[in-house]
mmCIF file of all heavy atoms in Angstrom:
data_model
loop_
_atom_site.group_PDB
_atom_site.id
_atom_site.type_symbol
_atom_site.label_atom_id
_atom_site.label_comp_id
_atom_site.label_asym_id
_atom_site.label_seq_id
_atom_site.Cartn_x
_atom_site.Cartn_y
_atom_site.Cartn_z
ATOM 1 N N VAL C 117 17.752 14.078 0.471
ATOM 2 C CA VAL C 117 18.612 13.058 1.082
ATOM 3 C C VAL C 117 17.806 12.271 2.115
ATOM 4 O O VAL C 117 17.860 11.038 2.166
ATOM 5 C CB VAL C 117 19.855 13.706 1.752
ATOM 6 C CG1 VAL C 117 20.632 12.668 2.547
ATOM 7 C CG2 VAL C 117 20.748 14.338 0.697
ATOM 8 N N ALA C 118 17.049 13.017 2.905
ATOM 9 C CA ALA C 118 16.255 12.366 3.955
ATOM 10 C C ALA C 118 15.218 11.424 3.343
ATOM 11 O O ALA C 118 15.046 10.287 3.786
ATOM 12 C CB ALA C 118 15.568 13.425 4.815
ATOM 13 N N LEU C 119 14.562 11.886 2.283
ATOM 14 C CA LEU C 119 13.535 11.058 1.647
ATOM 15 C C LEU C 119 14.169 9.819 1.016
ATOM 16 O O LEU C 119 13.646 8.709 1.120
ATOM 17 C CB LEU C 119 12.779 11.871 0.589
ATOM 18 C CG LEU C 119 11.644 11.153 -0.142
ATOM 19 C CD1 LEU C 119 10.585 10.660 0.836
ATOM 20 C CD2 LEU C 119 10.997 12.074 -1.176
ATOM 21 N N GLU C 120 15.328 10.015 0.391
ATOM 22 C CA GLU C 120 16.005 8.893 -0.245
ATOM 23 C C GLU C 120 16.424 7.847 0.783
ATOM 24 O O GLU C 120 16.483 6.658 0.492
ATOM 25 C CB GLU C 120 17.221 9.403 -1.018
ATOM 26 C CG GLU C 120 17.690 8.441 -2.090
ATOM 27 C CD GLU C 120 19.083 8.768 -2.603
ATOM 28 O OE1 GLU C 120 19.499 9.932 -2.525
ATOM 29 O OE2 GLU C 120 19.754 7.838 -3.072
ATOM 30 N N GLY C 121 16.690 8.316 2.001
ATOM 31 C CA GLY C 121 17.153 7.409 3.042
ATOM 32 C C GLY C 121 16.043 6.706 3.800
ATOM 33 O O GLY C 121 16.295 5.806 4.587
ATOM 34 N N LEU C 122 14.807 7.113 3.580
ATOM 35 C CA LEU C 122 13.685 6.475 4.293
ATOM 36 C C LEU C 122 13.517 5.028 3.851
ATOM 37 O O LEU C 122 13.789 4.698 2.704
ATOM 38 C CB LEU C 122 12.374 7.199 3.968
ATOM 39 C CG LEU C 122 11.931 8.422 4.755
ATOM 40 C CD1 LEU C 122 10.484 8.732 4.410
ATOM 41 C CD2 LEU C 122 12.100 8.236 6.244
ATOM 42 N N PRO C 123 13.050 4.149 4.745
ATOM 43 C CA PRO C 123 12.701 2.793 4.306
ATOM 44 C C PRO C 123 11.709 2.855 3.145
ATOM 45 O O PRO C 123 10.876 3.761 3.093
ATOM 46 C CB PRO C 123 12.043 2.189 5.549
ATOM 47 C CG PRO C 123 12.590 2.964 6.689
ATOM 48 C CD PRO C 123 12.836 4.346 6.182
ATOM 49 N N ARG C 124 11.847 1.887 2.256
ATOM 50 C CA ARG C 124 11.119 1.934 0.991
ATOM 51 C C ARG C 124 9.610 2.074 1.159
ATOM 52 O O ARG C 124 8.958 2.800 0.424
ATOM 53 C CB ARG C 124 11.459 0.696 0.187
ATOM 54 C CG ARG C 124 11.321 0.852 -1.292
ATOM 55 C CD ARG C 124 11.707 -0.433 -1.974
ATOM 56 N NE ARG C 124 13.090 -0.785 -1.726
ATOM 57 C CZ ARG C 124 13.484 -1.982 -1.300
ATOM 58 N NH1 ARG C 124 12.618 -2.935 -1.075
ATOM 59 N NH2 ARG C 124 14.758 -2.237 -1.099
ATOM 60 N N GLU C 125 9.052 1.350 2.147
ATOM 61 C CA GLU C 125 7.593 1.379 2.262
ATOM 62 C C GLU C 125 7.077 2.759 2.686
ATOM 63 O O GLU C 125 5.954 3.114 2.374
ATOM 64 C CB GLU C 125 7.083 0.277 3.202
ATOM 65 C CG GLU C 125 7.455 0.439 4.650
ATOM 66 C CD GLU C 125 8.709 -0.335 4.996
ATOM 67 O OE1 GLU C 125 9.564 -0.515 4.106
ATOM 68 O OE2 GLU C 125 8.851 -0.758 6.162
ATOM 69 N N TYR C 126 7.925 3.519 3.388
ATOM 70 C CA TYR C 126 7.521 4.882 3.726
ATOM 71 C C TYR C 126 7.764 5.813 2.544
ATOM 72 O O TYR C 126 6.964 6.676 2.217
ATOM 73 C CB TYR C 126 8.310 5.388 4.934
ATOM 74 C CG TYR C 126 8.022 4.620 6.208
ATOM 75 C CD1 TYR C 126 9.046 4.258 7.078
ATOM 76 C CD2 TYR C 126 6.717 4.263 6.545
ATOM 77 C CE1 TYR C 126 8.780 3.560 8.246
ATOM 78 C CE2 TYR C 126 6.452 3.560 7.713
ATOM 79 C CZ TYR C 126 7.486 3.208 8.555
ATOM 80 O OH TYR C 126 7.223 2.525 9.698
ATOM 81 N N ARG C 127 8.938 5.619 1.891
ATOM 82 C CA ARG C 127 9.313 6.470 0.771
ATOM 83 C C ARG C 127 8.240 6.414 -0.315
ATOM 84 O O ARG C 127 7.829 7.412 -0.867
ATOM 85 C CB ARG C 127 10.661 5.999 0.218
ATOM 86 C CG ARG C 127 11.426 7.048 -0.538
ATOM 87 C CD ARG C 127 12.669 6.452 -1.197
ATOM 88 N NE ARG C 127 13.327 5.439 -0.403
ATOM 89 C CZ ARG C 127 13.819 4.316 -0.936
ATOM 90 N NH1 ARG C 127 13.746 4.084 -2.224
ATOM 91 N NH2 ARG C 127 14.410 3.423 -0.152
ATOM 92 N N GLU C 128 7.760 5.209 -0.589
ATOM 93 C CA GLU C 128 6.834 5.089 -1.722
ATOM 94 C C GLU C 128 5.488 5.744 -1.438
ATOM 95 O O GLU C 128 4.922 6.381 -2.312
ATOM 96 C CB GLU C 128 6.674 3.635 -2.172
ATOM 97 C CG GLU C 128 5.867 2.756 -1.259
ATOM 98 C CD GLU C 128 5.777 1.330 -1.807
ATOM 99 O OE1 GLU C 128 6.246 1.067 -2.923
ATOM 100 O OE2 GLU C 128 5.222 0.479 -1.088
ATOM 101 N N VAL C 129 4.980 5.639 -0.200
ATOM 102 C CA VAL C 129 3.684 6.278 0.048
ATOM 103 C C VAL C 129 3.800 7.797 0.024
ATOM 104 O O VAL C 129 2.902 8.490 -0.450
ATOM 105 C CB VAL C 129 2.999 5.800 1.359
ATOM 106 C CG1 VAL C 129 2.557 4.356 1.258
ATOM 107 C CG2 VAL C 129 3.859 6.028 2.575
ATOM 108 N N ILE C 130 4.951 8.315 0.497
ATOM 109 C CA ILE C 130 5.141 9.769 0.471
ATOM 110 C C ILE C 130 5.261 10.265 -0.970
ATOM 111 O O ILE C 130 4.647 11.259 -1.353
ATOM 112 C CB ILE C 130 6.380 10.172 1.312
ATOM 113 C CG1 ILE C 130 6.085 9.924 2.798
ATOM 114 C CG2 ILE C 130 6.743 11.637 1.079
ATOM 115 C CD1 ILE C 130 7.260 10.177 3.721
ATOM 116 N N VAL C 131 6.040 9.545 -1.786
ATOM 117 C CA VAL C 131 6.181 9.952 -3.189
ATOM 118 C C VAL C 131 4.827 9.850 -3.896
ATOM 119 O O VAL C 131 4.418 10.768 -4.611
ATOM 120 C CB VAL C 131 7.253 9.093 -3.910
ATOM 121 C CG1 VAL C 131 7.187 9.291 -5.420
ATOM 122 C CG2 VAL C 131 8.643 9.458 -3.395
ATOM 123 N N LEU C 132 4.111 8.759 -3.669
ATOM 124 C CA LEU C 132 2.828 8.574 -4.356
ATOM 125 C C LEU C 132 1.805 9.623 -3.921
ATOM 126 O O LEU C 132 1.063 10.145 -4.735
ATOM 127 C CB LEU C 132 2.276 7.160 -4.108
ATOM 128 C CG LEU C 132 3.005 6.031 -4.832
ATOM 129 C CD1 LEU C 132 2.511 4.673 -4.371
ATOM 130 C CD2 LEU C 132 2.833 6.164 -6.350
ATOM 131 N N HIS C 133 1.791 9.938 -2.635
ATOM 132 C CA HIS C 133 0.790 10.899 -2.172
ATOM 133 C C HIS C 133 1.226 12.348 -2.356
ATOM 134 O O HIS C 133 0.544 13.131 -2.995
ATOM 135 C CB HIS C 133 0.431 10.655 -0.701
ATOM 136 C CG HIS C 133 -0.713 11.521 -0.247
ATOM 137 N ND1 HIS C 133 -0.533 12.809 0.198
ATOM 138 C CD2 HIS C 133 -2.056 11.314 -0.250
ATOM 139 C CE1 HIS C 133 -1.708 13.339 0.478
ATOM 140 N NE2 HIS C 133 -2.654 12.455 0.219
ATOM 141 N N ASP C 134 2.387 12.681 -1.788
ATOM 142 C CA ASP C 134 2.759 14.095 -1.720
ATOM 143 C C ASP C 134 3.372 14.610 -3.014
ATOM 144 O O ASP C 134 3.276 15.799 -3.308
ATOM 145 C CB ASP C 134 3.726 14.320 -0.543
ATOM 146 C CG ASP C 134 3.032 14.049 0.794
ATOM 147 O OD1 ASP C 134 1.804 13.905 0.807
ATOM 148 O OD2 ASP C 134 3.739 13.988 1.823
ATOM 149 N N VAL C 135 4.023 13.744 -3.781
ATOM 150 C CA VAL C 135 4.616 14.204 -5.044
ATOM 151 C C VAL C 135 3.670 13.910 -6.215
ATOM 152 O O VAL C 135 3.378 14.785 -7.021
ATOM 153 C CB VAL C 135 5.999 13.553 -5.305
ATOM 154 C CG1 VAL C 135 6.609 14.103 -6.584
ATOM 155 C CG2 VAL C 135 6.943 13.801 -4.130
ATOM 156 N N GLU C 136 3.154 12.685 -6.283
ATOM 157 C CA GLU C 136 2.311 12.307 -7.421
ATOM 158 C C GLU C 136 0.833 12.641 -7.219
ATOM 159 O O GLU C 136 0.056 12.615 -8.164
ATOM 160 C CB GLU C 136 2.464 10.813 -7.715
ATOM 161 C CG GLU C 136 3.810 10.456 -8.341
ATOM 162 C CD GLU C 136 4.064 11.201 -9.643
ATOM 163 O OE1 GLU C 136 3.095 11.510 -10.364
ATOM 164 O OE2 GLU C 136 5.231 11.508 -9.917
ATOM 165 N N GLY C 137 0.445 12.911 -5.984
ATOM 166 C CA GLY C 137 -0.936 13.327 -5.738
ATOM 167 C C GLY C 137 -1.967 12.213 -5.831
ATOM 168 O O GLY C 137 -3.135 12.456 -6.112
ATOM 169 N N LEU C 138 -1.561 10.966 -5.576
ATOM 170 C CA LEU C 138 -2.534 9.872 -5.576
ATOM 171 C C LEU C 138 -3.361 9.912 -4.291
ATOM 172 O O LEU C 138 -2.870 10.335 -3.245
ATOM 173 C CB LEU C 138 -1.826 8.510 -5.650
ATOM 174 C CG LEU C 138 -1.645 7.898 -7.050
ATOM 175 C CD1 LEU C 138 -0.660 8.725 -7.854
ATOM 176 C CD2 LEU C 138 -1.173 6.458 -6.958
ATOM 177 N N SER C 139 -4.606 9.453 -4.385
ATOM 178 C CA SER C 139 -5.457 9.356 -3.204
ATOM 179 C C SER C 139 -5.043 8.139 -2.383
ATOM 180 O O SER C 139 -4.327 7.270 -2.879
ATOM 181 C CB SER C 139 -6.921 9.215 -3.621
ATOM 182 O OG SER C 139 -7.110 7.946 -4.223
ATOM 183 N N TYR C 140 -5.503 8.088 -1.132
ATOM 184 C CA TYR C 140 -5.195 6.931 -0.283
ATOM 185 C C TYR C 140 -5.663 5.647 -0.971
ATOM 186 O O TYR C 140 -5.010 4.620 -0.918
ATOM 187 C CB TYR C 140 -5.894 7.057 1.081
ATOM 188 C CG TYR C 140 -5.233 8.022 2.055
ATOM 189 C CD1 TYR C 140 -4.336 8.991 1.615
ATOM 190 C CD2 TYR C 140 -5.513 7.950 3.414
ATOM 191 C CE1 TYR C 140 -3.752 9.873 2.513
ATOM 192 C CE2 TYR C 140 -4.928 8.827 4.318
ATOM 193 C CZ TYR C 140 -4.051 9.785 3.868
ATOM 194 O OH TYR C 140 -3.476 10.642 4.761
ATOM 195 N N ARG C 141 -6.846 5.734 -1.583
ATOM 196 C CA ARG C 141 -7.407 4.535 -2.214
ATOM 197 C C ARG C 141 -6.527 4.051 -3.367
ATOM 198 O O ARG C 141 -6.270 2.862 -3.520
ATOM 199 C CB ARG C 141 -8.827 4.843 -2.709
ATOM 200 C CG ARG C 141 -9.544 3.668 -3.328
ATOM 201 C CD ARG C 141 -11.042 3.886 -3.382
ATOM 202 N NE ARG C 141 -11.634 3.911 -2.061
ATOM 203 C CZ ARG C 141 -11.858 2.830 -1.297
ATOM 204 N NH1 ARG C 141 -11.511 1.649 -1.744
ATOM 205 N NH2 ARG C 141 -12.395 2.930 -0.117
ATOM 206 N N GLU C 142 -6.049 5.006 -4.177
ATOM 207 C CA GLU C 142 -5.162 4.631 -5.291
ATOM 208 C C GLU C 142 -3.856 4.029 -4.767
ATOM 209 O O GLU C 142 -3.344 3.051 -5.323
ATOM 210 C CB GLU C 142 -4.841 5.865 -6.151
ATOM 211 C CG GLU C 142 -5.997 6.310 -7.036
ATOM 212 C CD GLU C 142 -5.672 7.603 -7.784
ATOM 213 O OE1 GLU C 142 -5.380 8.616 -7.118
ATOM 214 O OE2 GLU C 142 -5.708 7.603 -9.020
ATOM 215 N N ILE C 143 -3.339 4.604 -3.688
ATOM 216 C CA ILE C 143 -2.093 4.086 -3.114
ATOM 217 C C ILE C 143 -2.311 2.666 -2.593
ATOM 218 O O ILE C 143 -1.462 1.785 -2.758
ATOM 219 C CB ILE C 143 -1.570 5.008 -1.989
ATOM 220 C CG1 ILE C 143 -1.217 6.375 -2.566
ATOM 221 C CG2 ILE C 143 -0.331 4.404 -1.311
ATOM 222 C CD1 ILE C 143 -0.911 7.428 -1.535
ATOM 223 N N ALA C 144 -3.479 2.431 -1.989
ATOM 224 C CA ALA C 144 -3.808 1.092 -1.486
ATOM 225 C C ALA C 144 -3.759 0.083 -2.638
ATOM 226 O O ALA C 144 -3.253 -1.027 -2.489
ATOM 227 C CB ALA C 144 -5.180 1.098 -0.828
ATOM 228 N N THR C 145 -4.262 0.504 -3.805
ATOM 229 C CA THR C 145 -4.229 -0.362 -4.986
ATOM 230 C C THR C 145 -2.798 -0.608 -5.443
ATOM 231 O O THR C 145 -2.385 -1.744 -5.652
ATOM 232 C CB THR C 145 -5.016 0.292 -6.150
ATOM 233 O OG1 THR C 145 -6.332 0.579 -5.691
ATOM 234 C CG2 THR C 145 -5.070 -0.619 -7.361
ATOM 235 N N VAL C 146 -2.045 0.473 -5.580
ATOM 236 C CA VAL C 146 -0.690 0.366 -6.131
ATOM 237 C C VAL C 146 0.209 -0.469 -5.218
ATOM 238 O O VAL C 146 0.918 -1.368 -5.672
ATOM 239 C CB VAL C 146 -0.068 1.769 -6.343
ATOM 240 C CG1 VAL C 146 1.397 1.656 -6.744
ATOM 241 C CG2 VAL C 146 -0.843 2.530 -7.408
#
Side-chain angles (χ1 to χ4, degrees):
Chain C
V117 172
L119 182 59
E120 201 195 334
L122 274 192
R124 206 179 298 130
E125 67 265 29
Y126 295 138
R127 203 187 323 139
E128 73 180 355
V129 292
I130 291 175
V131 167
L132 288 172
H133 187 275
D134 295 349
V135 183
E136 288 302 329
L138 266 68
S139 69
Y140 283 18
R141 183 162 293 284
E142 286 175 301
I143 296 170
T145 305
V146 173

